[in-house]
Amino acid sequence: MPIRVLRSALNPLLPLGVGERDTESLHSYFFRLALSHCISAPELKRTVTEKMKWRIPGKYRWDECNLNGMGSAAERWSQGLSELTCIAHLDMLTLLPWRNVIAQKSLSSTSSRWCSVCFAQDRADGRTPYLRLAWDIGEVAVCPIHETWLTNVCPNCGRSNTRNSTSYVVPGWCCFCGEFLGNWAGAVSVSAAEIWKACQIGAMLAAQSRLSSTPTRDTFIKGLFNLVICLDDGKNAVFARRIGLNRSTVHYWLKEGGIPTIAAHLRIASQTGLSLPSLLTGKTAAAQSAPIPPTQLTTLFPGHRKRVSPRSLDVGQINDQLEAFILSGASLSVGEAARRLNVHPRQLYEFANRNARIMGQTWKRQQRSRGEENRKRAAGFIEAALLEIVAEGKGASLRELRRRIPKDVLGSVRDIFTLLEEVKVKLGTR
């Protein structure tokens, strides 16, 4: 029986790190494929689009087309390159396997980053340096293997993001000066929280090539329901406090078809004891209640603020203070009174409705009276200024008025043009 040999239109270049947390990104694979043909990245782009009969208008820019994500660009290019190279499953070099269970919002990094030690290790071990998929995920800030921060600046020329506007990209070398990017000798300690996040995402990337099927939203939501029931008796609000998010956010996931961002998934994993792959695939039966202290959220997500417990309000005291404000004759709005009492204006109408309404009506009367006084005062200034302008034979314009009238006078009146016309009619200068 004759052996059938597949002939590929492009070099059947093997991807690197598949099935590991150091999975190569599709961007890196594309750059290495271009180098294997001794052509530029734009030229390979034109070759692929012509052979696949795609229509891609305009100039191609790497920062405008996320090949590593989970959108249409990643799907199109992974399928097209697989067909032309005869290398199956190049979608494993993207985040496509998780597109049903991870929201695209804030998923990708805003700049190209790398671990200098990884590049140096690749070279020392005789491997081809390549770009890791994890480096292009926004929540990953460190290399968990070498416990170093990712960088986006060439140690030689100080340039950053040069690959986004360069035709020839050699992973591991600066696109601008050509210096090897693994020559960085600095060392800055990284936090355990950042290492934990990078390890979780690394485990997710390692697991995606072993998935028996693409995770679905239904399976994930069933697992999330199980978490809420097991850990917090089915109370969405309690579970939301556990992971440091709003109740409406959890409701959006469970009831309205939403899916969490990668940051939200990490919050859930950190407070339930689950690994990120288990959470995403709905395997939540092994969840434990708060394996790490809730304060860890502040460490993992510095912007996190624990919700303040509602305080009890003394309704009688609020009413007494409002009455004192009213009797003093002070010019106060309901909003300003609420600020002074450290409550929300809505609470004043809820607990002291009568006094709040009296204060609001008094404020409106005072504002109307003050407005009328300011208008009369401004009309007097405008009248005097118009008489001077006419006497000088000049045109009565707003510019001339501003030169002769104090700013605080004109600024205290609304619709100054209407007032100007009224004064002109009075003086007969129209």
Side-chain angles (χ1 to χ4, degrees):
M1 183 176 180
I3 299 176
R4 184 182 177 186
V5 179
L6 295 176
R7 294 180 61 86
S8 59
L10 297 174
N11 292 340
L13 187 68
L14 293 176
L16 303 173
V18 177
E20 304 173 5
R21 58 183 173 183
D22 280 342
T23 299
E24 183 176 21
S25 70
L26 190 61
H27 258 145
S28 176
Y29 182 84
F30 185 90
F31 296 142
R32 291 196 305 113
L33 185 61
L35 293 173
S36 74
H37 284 274
C38 298
I39 60 177
S40 67
E43 189 174 348
L44 179 58
K45 170 253 179 182
R46 287 191 295 270
T47 300
V48 173
T49 53
E50 289 172 2
K51 289 184 179 295
M52 298 301 298
K53 298 181 180 180
W54 295 338
R55 291 184 178 180
I56 301 180
K59 184 179 178 181
Y60 187 82
R61 284 181 57 86
W62 302 116
D63 55 342
E64 296 174 355
C65 184
N66 187 4
L67 301 191
N68 305 330
M70 53 182 64
S72 58
E75 183 175 17
R76 169 184 282 191
W77 282 91
S78 61
Q79 291 178 353
L81 291 175
S82 285
E83 181 176 333
L84 295 177
T85 60
C86 294
I87 300 295
H89 305 303
L90 288 182
D91 58 327
M92 293 298 109
L93 307 185
T94 72
L95 297 174
L96 283 170
W98 311 104
R99 61 181 170 179
N100 296 324
V101 291
I102 299 179
Q104 293 191 43
K105 181 182 178 182
S106 302
L107 181 62
S108 301
S109 169
T110 56
S111 63
S112 56
R113 302 173 302 166
W114 60 86
C115 171
S116 299
V117 186
C118 282
F119 282 153
Q121 192 69 49
D122 287 341
R123 204 176 183 187
D125 294 343
R127 296 192 303 264
T128 301
Y130 65 97
L131 305 173
R132 277 64 166 173
L133 178 57
W135 296 347
D136 282 337
I137 298 177
E139 286 297 324
V140 177
V142 303
C143 171
I145 300 175
H146 303 108
E147 298 187 358
T148 58
W149 292 97
L150 300 182
T151 181
N152 67 340
V153 178
C154 173
N156 184 56
C157 66
R159 297 295 185 98
S160 62
N161 271 349
T162 53
R163 87 177 189 195
N164 291 334
S165 57
T166 305
S167 296
Y168 293 90
V169 179
V170 183
W173 279 264
C174 178
C175 298
F176 186 79
C177 69
E179 182 75 11
F180 182 56
L181 297 175
N183 290 334
W184 184 72
V188 181
S189 61
V190 300
S191 66
E194 292 297 338
I195 294 175
W196 179 86
K197 287 195 287 186
C199 286
Q200 288 292 319
I201 293 177
M204 177 190 78
L205 299 179
Q208 65 185 30
S209 64
R210 299 189 294 270
L211 294 172
S212 57
S213 60
T214 302
T216 64
R217 181 186 178 278
D218 289 342
T219 302
F220 165 72
I221 290 300
K222 287 179 182 178
L224 188 60
F225 265 119
N226 180 61
L227 282 179
V228 177
I229 292 172
C230 293
L231 299 182
D232 296 307
D233 298 325
K235 298 176 182 179
N236 294 350
V238 178
F239 183 77
R241 285 197 294 273
R242 172 188 293 273
I243 62 176
L245 294 176
N246 294 327
R247 177 178 57 182
S248 59
T249 302
V250 177
H251 178 83
Y252 174 66
W253 299 338
L254 298 175
K255 303 294 185 181
E256 299 182 13
I259 53 177
T261 61
I262 189 67
H265 280 299
L266 289 170
R267 284 173 177 268
I268 298 172
S270 72
Q271 299 303 296
T272 59
L274 290 169
S275 68
L276 194 55
S278 297
L279 175 63
L280 294 173
T281 53
K283 299 175 182 178
T284 58
Q288 301 175 2
S289 178
I292 56 178
T295 53
Q296 184 72 7
L297 276 174
T298 306
T299 305
L300 289 170
F301 304 94
H304 168 73
R305 292 183 179 180
K306 187 176 180 181
R307 293 182 62 183
V308 179
S309 300
R311 63 188 180 92
S312 58
L313 299 176
D314 189 332
V315 178
Q317 184 180 9
I318 291 176
N319 269 297
D320 291 343
Q321 289 176 316
L322 283 184
E323 287 182 2
F325 287 150
I326 294 170
L327 293 175
S328 68
S331 180
L332 285 179
S333 66
V334 175
E336 174 60 19
R339 188 190 67 78
R340 295 189 182 187
L341 297 176
N342 194 26
V343 297
H344 194 280
R346 182 175 61 248
Q347 292 176 312
L348 291 185
Y349 284 106
E350 182 179 354
F351 300 121
N353 185 273
R354 178 176 175 276
N355 285 329
R357 288 184 177 276
I358 292 174
M359 176 168 284
Q361 292 169 359
T362 302
W363 168 257
K364 289 180 180 179
R365 286 197 302 269
Q366 291 173 341
Q367 289 297 99
R368 282 196 297 268
S369 176
R370 187 178 294 109
E372 291 173 359
E373 292 176 0
N374 290 338
R375 198 172 183 83
K376 290 179 181 178
R377 177 167 171 259
F381 276 92
I382 292 174
E383 184 174 338
L386 282 178
L387 292 175
E388 291 179 3
I389 292 171
V390 172
E392 295 174 5
K394 297 181 179 180
S397 64
L398 185 58
R399 179 180 299 177
E400 283 293 329
L401 289 178
R402 285 174 174 167
R403 292 174 56 188
R404 302 166 188 266
I405 301 176
K407 291 182 179 180
D408 63 316
V409 175
L410 293 180
S412 65
V413 179
R414 293 183 178 181
D415 198 1
I416 189 64
F417 290 102
T418 300
L419 180 58
L420 177 58
E421 291 300 317
E422 291 176 359
V423 176
K424 285 182 178 180
V425 172
K426 177 182 178 182
L427 297 178
T429 59
R430 291 192 62 183

